[in-house]
Amino acid sequence: MLSSRLIYKLKSPLLALKNRPKILYTTFSSPKLVQDDVKARQEKLEEERIRAELTSMDKKPSQNWILEPYVKLMRLNKLAPFWLVYWPGAWGILGAASYLNTHPDFYMLALFGIGGLAMRTAGCIVNDIWDKNYDNKVERTKDRPLASGQIAIPAALGLLGLNLSVALSTLLQLNLTTQVLGACCLFPVAIYPAAKRFTNWPQAVLGATFSWGALMGWSAIVCSNLPQDANILSFLPAVFLYFGCINWTLFYDTIYAFQDIKFDKKLGLKSSAMAIEKRPVPWLMGFSSLCMTNLALFGWMTGQEPIYYMSLGLAAAHFVKQMAFVNLKSPESCAKQFRSNNTLGAIVTFGLLASLLIK
């Protein structure tokens, strides 16, 4: 009996120790580690939000017909960028007519529309061939026909050849100077997709490409009506128009590039959106101001009527509206303001046409 009591007394402290409540010990991380963890979670949530927004933007019912991948490859389902290619050429044609005090050439405007559409689709195909292995890693572009494997490279090259043939057929109907300018345009079209790999300003290369129509439109009219020795000096107004259009492209395509900025950083690609990310508003104001200044000089040199300058006032207000309402962290907002630049293009075109008809 005594021995059992002794054993119990010896065991009781051990039993008490065994049955005591468990204490949870918290390991406190340093403030920097906690801050980094919160930042990483916020970035992940932001990326998921962008992915969801981009997915909802592209949610359209599939037609499930055999030509659908080819239509998407040529971007015929998204014509807003085509008009952005078309406006500089139209401005060059209408401005040249005003400069020479002649009637607007509607045939030339239509011809540039056909050629512009063909070159735009050709540029899209070249871009998708270059970016095939990048597009499938970016939410907005992962479903493109080449990136998703719906179309093979040989078929894309065949379609490229067809579009270039259409563009060539329109180019051959223009004068020799314009034909030479058109041939020179192939170089920036070909190198633009590669520009995002070696410069922070691929949008400048795109601007030089998209705005080329301003020089060609001017040349198509002026070089067909003036003697050869007067052609060189007569190109000065077109140069101001060209630089104005380049700055316009820098404005709207920089906004467009903000859609993919997070994905581009991960893939090691570059864009003007990254270059101005910390101070976007002053840069966008600079691009729009240079655009307006060059368009005003172009108007002065081509003898435009007051209605043209009124249209420039409306265009300037449109620039302000875009900067006021765009949310550079929202892909949907960026895409909306990008597309709205066609309104600006139409306003300036109206001003040029109305000025020409008033004369």
Side-chain angles (χ1 to χ4, degrees):
M1 186 70 178
L2 182 63
S3 60
S4 61
R5 286 182 181 178
L6 183 60
I7 292 171
Y8 176 76
K9 286 182 180 180
L10 290 173
K11 278 186 176 181
S12 6
L14 295 174
L15 289 171
L17 187 63
K18 183 178 178 181
N19 295 326
R20 70 178 179 176
K22 293 182 180 179
I23 300 173
L24 297 177
Y25 295 93
T26 304
T27 304
F28 292 95
S29 302
S30 68
K32 187 177 183 308
L33 289 175
V34 173
Q35 188 177 6
D36 290 346
D37 184 54
V38 170
K39 186 178 179 182
R41 290 186 181 186
Q42 287 176 341
E43 288 178 353
K44 187 177 179 181
L45 288 171
E46 179 68 10
E47 187 174 320
E48 288 175 356
R49 182 191 65 80
I50 292 173
R51 285 182 185 275
E53 194 169 322
L54 288 168
T55 303
S56 65
M57 285 167 58
D58 291 334
K59 272 187 179 178
K60 293 181 180 178
S62 178
Q63 301 298 320
N64 291 323
W65 59 303
I66 192 168
L67 294 179
E68 184 181 11
Y70 299 94
V71 169
K72 287 183 176 179
L73 179 62
M74 294 188 291
R75 308 290 199 279
L76 294 179
N77 59 325
K78 297 179 180 179
L79 289 177
F82 154 69
W83 289 106
L84 294 174
V85 174
Y86 177 72
W87 297 127
W91 297 351
I93 292 169
L94 294 172
S98 185
Y99 180 75
L100 298 173
N101 202 19
T102 63
H103 296 293
D105 193 331
F106 292 105
Y107 170 74
M108 197 64 68
L109 287 169
L111 198 63
F112 267 65
I114 297 169
L117 181 61
M119 283 304 297
R120 157 68 185 166
T121 55
C124 290
I125 295 169
V126 171
N127 182 78
D128 284 8
I129 291 173
W130 270 97
D131 290 348
K132 180 176 179 289
N133 295 326
Y134 287 97
D135 284 345
N136 56 14
K137 298 178 178 68
V138 177
E139 189 68 28
R140 186 176 60 84
T141 59
K142 67 181 183 181
D143 293 326
R144 285 180 177 174
L146 283 174
S148 60
Q150 298 175 61
I151 296 178
I153 293 291
L157 290 173
L159 194 59
L160 174 63
L162 178 62
N163 280 278
L164 289 176
S165 299
V166 173
L168 179 62
S169 67
T170 60
L171 185 64
L172 292 176
Q173 298 181 55
L174 307 174
N175 59 56
L176 181 60
T177 305
T178 311
Q179 290 176 11
V180 173
L181 281 171
C184 293
C185 181
L186 291 174
F187 178 69
V189 168
I191 68 165
Y192 163 66
K196 65 187 75 173
R197 293 161 172 79
F198 60 82
T199 175
N200 283 329
W201 295 96
Q203 278 67 31
V205 180
L206 183 71
T209 307
F210 269 30
S211 306
W212 203 263
L215 300 176
M216 292 181 64
W218 181 270
S219 172
I221 302 298
V222 170
C223 294
S224 297
N225 291 278
L226 288 181
Q228 191 67 31
D229 57 350
N231 285 346
I232 296 176
L233 289 177
S234 66
F235 256 84
L236 187 58
V239 172
F240 283 104
L241 175 62
Y242 181 59
F243 281 107
C245 291
I246 288 176
N247 280 282
W248 182 36
T249 308
L250 278 166
F251 178 88
Y252 66 67
D253 207 63
T254 297
I255 290 176
Y256 189 80
F258 269 96
Q259 293 181 98
D260 300 329
I261 191 168
K262 288 187 176 293
F263 301 103
D264 286 345
K265 285 178 179 179
K266 286 185 176 182
L267 296 172
L269 300 176
K270 301 177 181 179
S271 72
S272 56
M274 291 184 196
I276 70 167
E277 185 180 7
K278 293 182 179 179
R279 298 189 66 195
V281 174
W283 280 95
L284 292 175
M285 288 179 63
F287 296 147
S288 58
S289 299
L290 286 171
C291 173
M292 287 290 96
T293 301
N294 279 281
L295 289 181
L297 287 170
F298 173 71
W300 174 69
M301 297 183 78
T302 54
Q304 299 297 326
E305 298 293 324
I307 193 168
Y308 170 72
Y309 298 99
M310 291 171 62
S311 73
L312 288 190
L314 291 174
H318 196 281
F319 273 129
V320 173
K321 186 272 295 183
Q322 290 186 68
M323 287 184 283
F325 287 98
V326 69
N327 177 5
L328 296 176
K329 293 183 179 181
S330 167
E332 187 174 0
S333 176
C334 291
K336 181 180 179 180
Q337 298 306 325
F338 167 78
R339 290 192 300 269
S340 76
N341 279 274
N342 279 312
T343 302
L344 189 152
I347 290 170
V348 176
T349 303
F350 170 79
L352 286 166
L353 184 59
S355 176
L356 188 56
L357 294 174
I358 288 171
K359 282 189 175 183

